[in-house]
Amino acid sequence: MAEDKYERLPRAGDSEHQLGFETLYLAPKPLPTGQVPFSAQQMHREVNEGYLDFAMGGGTREFAARVTLGTLGLFLYFWLAMTAFMAWSDWYFWGKPFWPSWSEFFFLNWIWWLIFLFFTLMSVSIVAYAAYKETRTPPIRFNRQRREVCYVPAKGKPLFIPWEEVIACVAVEQVITQYSATQQFSLRLGFHDTTNEQMHWVTHAHASLMLAVSEWEALRVYMEQGPTALPPAPPREHEEGTLEYFYFARDTYKECHGFISYSGWWLLQLFTGWTIPCHIAEWFERLPKAGFPKAVREWSKTLPTEQWAKPSEELLSQSAAIEAAFATGLSFPEYFKSPLAAFQSPADAAPVKTKGKGKRARSRAAAEARGQSEQPTSNKHDLNNNTKPPTDPLISLSDSSFPND
């Protein structure tokens, strides 16, 4: 966001509305959102008392690989159907044998195969470039003892941004195709380089807007309360992008849906590579990760407790005010009078259904597991001590918030 456009950097509660695009800012200052902290894609690569490393999760990689394979498959299936139709026409109108005609049309059209080879090489190049970036780009490091965030750009020196000046927003984008209109949701983090007035943005896609908010809330409670405030990591069958999650979703569809719905899911996964995208995502996970420069390693060293940075009085007062509003039933957008209704207030929790789609079933299991564990008490600077528990976004989301698994 350019300063000359808004005459200042954004702050929590600001909204932007453009044609087909809506944005709600959550920070700075990083105020409580009233939502349950949760990382649906397990993007917390390393967590300890000193810092948290935030990077792309396996669900994002699996989805990208599935879209790529599905696009290539669509090209291939289209050509298969076209050549079959051409062979049938030759048989029907001219009496030519079907199988020899189809084989000639399908295999001997070198122009088509050159085009297909071009798109295949382009897709492989995209995956290879993503793997290259995965091994060359360090994660974003959140240092709670210094209350700073380190972002290492592709070019230039590492940026050390005060935690209370990090920009965070959730966005909804309306995408219109020839078939339908759909929504895309994302969490965006912005880092303002004051040396050259340049903005660096990092975007992470999510299945719903509330999951994007919960991802940010997990980062916020870590910085304010420490790693004990984070929910326990779910088992691998609840982690998007893994083989265990794929088979868990398959079994859920088989048990909770009818034959037609399950068959549609089964065919969609088959046409997009079945478990191959999961293997690609796990291959990404096994790649050697980029290390941090020496300056970042020195900055990451543990500090004595008396040297830990403290939250500002402004943040404490604003957090107390919004938590008081949460206690009355207001949500984050309602508190700031934002038209983007991305959150639910604690009083608006929807009842849990006994059956649901794969992601809803996975979400309920994860929520129940978290509910069985005792939440630790926070320190005297606890900024998330609501009088009412926030609505778990993984339970209260409507069916329309999730795409089919």
Side-chain angles (χ1 to χ4, degrees):
M1 174 179 294
E3 289 194 25
D4 57 356
K5 179 180 178 181
Y6 295 90
E7 298 182 353
R8 64 169 175 81
L9 291 176
R11 59 191 177 198
D14 286 352
S15 301
E16 289 183 20
H17 304 278
Q18 302 174 6
L19 183 61
F21 194 87
E22 293 184 272
T23 303
L24 176 63
Y25 285 88
L26 310 177
K29 303 291 188 174
L31 300 179
T33 63
Q35 303 304 306
V36 172
F38 182 72
S39 181
Q41 300 180 14
Q42 293 302 294
M43 292 191 285
H44 305 163
R45 182 171 295 171
E46 182 175 353
V47 182
N48 55 47
E49 288 290 343
Y51 56 81
L52 180 150
D53 288 344
F54 182 77
M56 183 181 296
T60 303
R61 306 187 196 101
E62 188 266 349
F63 177 75
R66 191 168 295 280
V67 170
T68 301
L69 291 176
T71 302
L72 292 176
L74 183 62
F75 273 96
L76 192 59
Y77 303 142
F78 172 78
W79 180 241
L80 183 66
M82 285 294 297
T83 52
F85 176 77
M86 294 164 62
W88 176 85
S89 298
D90 278 357
W91 168 80
Y92 186 81
F93 291 104
W94 309 105
K96 295 182 179 180
F98 175 83
W99 291 111
S101 297
W102 175 82
S103 179
E104 181 179 354
F105 286 135
F106 186 78
F107 292 106
L108 301 183
N109 192 324
W110 60 271
I111 296 179
W112 155 257
W113 287 109
L114 284 178
I115 296 175
F116 184 76
L117 179 62
F118 169 78
F119 281 104
T120 302
L121 292 177
M122 185 174 64
S123 302
V124 172
S125 299
I126 293 174
V127 174
Y129 179 70
Y132 173 81
K133 289 187 65 178
E134 183 82 8
T135 59
R136 295 295 186 272
T137 304
I140 302 170
R141 177 160 289 184
F142 291 77
N143 190 321
R144 65 178 303 265
Q145 296 180 357
R146 297 180 182 271
R147 292 183 67 81
E148 293 179 342
V149 180
C150 176
Y151 172 74
V152 183
K155 296 181 180 179
K157 297 180 180 179
L159 302 179
F160 300 97
I161 312 296
W163 160 240
E164 297 187 19
E165 297 179 11
V166 172
I167 301 173
C169 63
V170 288
V172 181
E173 182 178 6
Q174 191 80 11
V175 179
I176 301 177
T177 67
Q178 65 268 37
Y179 304 107
S180 63
T182 184
Q183 289 182 324
Q184 294 181 352
F185 312 97
S186 61
L187 168 66
R188 304 185 69 205
L189 303 179
F191 306 96
H192 183 212
D193 186 356
T194 56
T195 60
N196 56 14
E197 295 300 324
Q198 183 179 1
M199 282 297 306
H200 299 272
W201 289 99
V202 177
T203 302
H204 291 279
H206 286 270
S208 73
L209 195 60
M210 292 179 70
L211 286 180
V213 177
S214 293
E215 190 74 60
W216 165 253
E217 184 65 14
L219 297 174
R220 192 197 68 80
V221 298
Y222 168 79
M223 291 294 286
E224 301 298 347
Q225 302 175 31
T228 55
L230 294 173
R236 284 183 62 83
E237 69 175 10
H238 299 154
E239 182 180 341
E240 295 181 27
T242 63
L243 280 170
E244 291 83 356
Y245 173 73
F246 177 88
Y247 290 120
F248 177 80
R250 181 197 62 181
D251 295 340
T252 301
Y253 258 88
K254 187 175 181 179
E255 295 172 2
C256 301
H257 294 268
F259 175 78
I260 295 177
S261 179
Y262 172 67
S263 299
W265 181 91
W266 192 89
L267 289 174
L268 178 62
Q269 307 307 313
L270 180 64
F271 290 158
T272 56
W274 198 244
T275 61
I276 294 177
C278 301
H279 290 288
I280 294 176
E282 293 187 352
W283 173 70
F284 270 97
E285 189 66 27
R286 292 192 297 268
L287 290 175
K289 303 301 186 293
F292 286 98
K294 182 178 179 181
V296 180
R297 296 196 300 271
E298 291 293 328
W299 170 83
S300 304
K301 290 182 178 179
T302 303
L303 296 175
T305 306
E306 60 273 10
Q307 296 183 17
W308 287 18
K310 301 292 190 266
S312 66
E313 291 299 327
E314 181 182 4
L315 176 62
L316 291 174
S317 61
Q318 292 182 9
S319 299
I322 196 172
E323 286 176 345
F326 292 159
T328 65
L330 289 179
S331 66
F332 189 96
E334 292 169 341
Y335 178 79
F336 288 105
K337 297 180 174 59
S338 171
L340 183 60
F343 308 73
Q344 285 185 319
S345 64
D348 294 332
V352 178
K353 298 179 181 180
T354 57
K355 291 186 180 182
K357 295 186 177 181
K359 286 186 179 178
R360 287 178 59 82
R362 185 256 314 166
S363 301
R364 287 196 300 274
E368 292 170 358
R370 291 197 306 276
Q372 294 173 358
S373 62
E374 182 180 357
Q375 295 295 330
T377 57
S378 58
N379 56 28
K380 67 177 181 179
H381 293 303
D382 185 355
L383 302 181
N384 197 31
N385 187 22
N386 297 344
T387 57
K388 290 184 180 181
T391 301
D392 191 336
L394 302 176
I395 297 178
S396 60
L397 284 174
S398 63
D399 284 342
S400 60
S401 298
F402 289 114
N404 289 343
D405 288 322

